[in-house]
Amino acid sequence: MADWLTSLQTDTPQEGFELALKLARKGVAYTQPDAEVRDRLRPEYAENADSLTMASQVVSIHFQTVAAANNYWK
């Protein structure tokens, strides 16, 4: 795969959150590289509250990492 993550530094918390979303999406793509398989599985989790909550948790963890790298908490 091509290099796409050059830094965790972002100009704003909004950009940081968007980076966290991208990290989550890329993590799924690395774990399951076959787009057809991901598309086939999506209906199974798209309407599952537990799956959606877990996806939100993954984004939250990534945002914590980005926020720490950018001193958002200070």
Side-chain angles (χ1 to χ4, degrees), residues 32-59:
Q32 177 45 265
D34 189 330
E36 289 181 23
V37 172
R38 292 192 311 269
D39 290 343
R40 188 174 68 243
L41 294 174
R42 186 169 289 125
E44 293 180 29
Y45 65 79
E47 295 188 32
N48 181 298
D50 289 337
S51 294
L52 295 173
T53 299
M54 292 297 289
S56 181
Q57 183 178 17
V58 169
V59 172

Side-chain angles (χ1 to χ4, degrees), residues 3-74:
D3 291 340
W4 59 270
L5 182 61
T6 57
S7 175
L8 293 177
Q9 298 291 305
T10 61
D11 291 330
T12 67
Q14 178 68 40
E15 288 179 8
F17 185 73
E18 291 169 11
L19 177 57
L21 290 168
K22 185 171 185 173
L23 289 167
R25 288 192 310 268
K26 290 288 192 175
V28 170
Y30 273 80
T31 303
Q32 177 45 265
D34 189 330
E36 289 181 23
V37 172
R38 292 192 311 269
D39 290 343
R40 188 174 68 243
L41 294 174
R42 186 169 289 125
E44 293 180 29
Y45 65 79
E47 295 188 32
N48 181 298
D50 289 337
S51 294
L52 295 173
T53 299
M54 292 297 289
S56 181
Q57 183 178 17
V58 169
V59 172
S60 175
I61 292 167
H62 286 312
F63 185 63
Q64 288 176 28
T65 301
V66 173
N70 287 279
N71 276 329
Y72 290 157
W73 305 134
K74 296 188 179 201

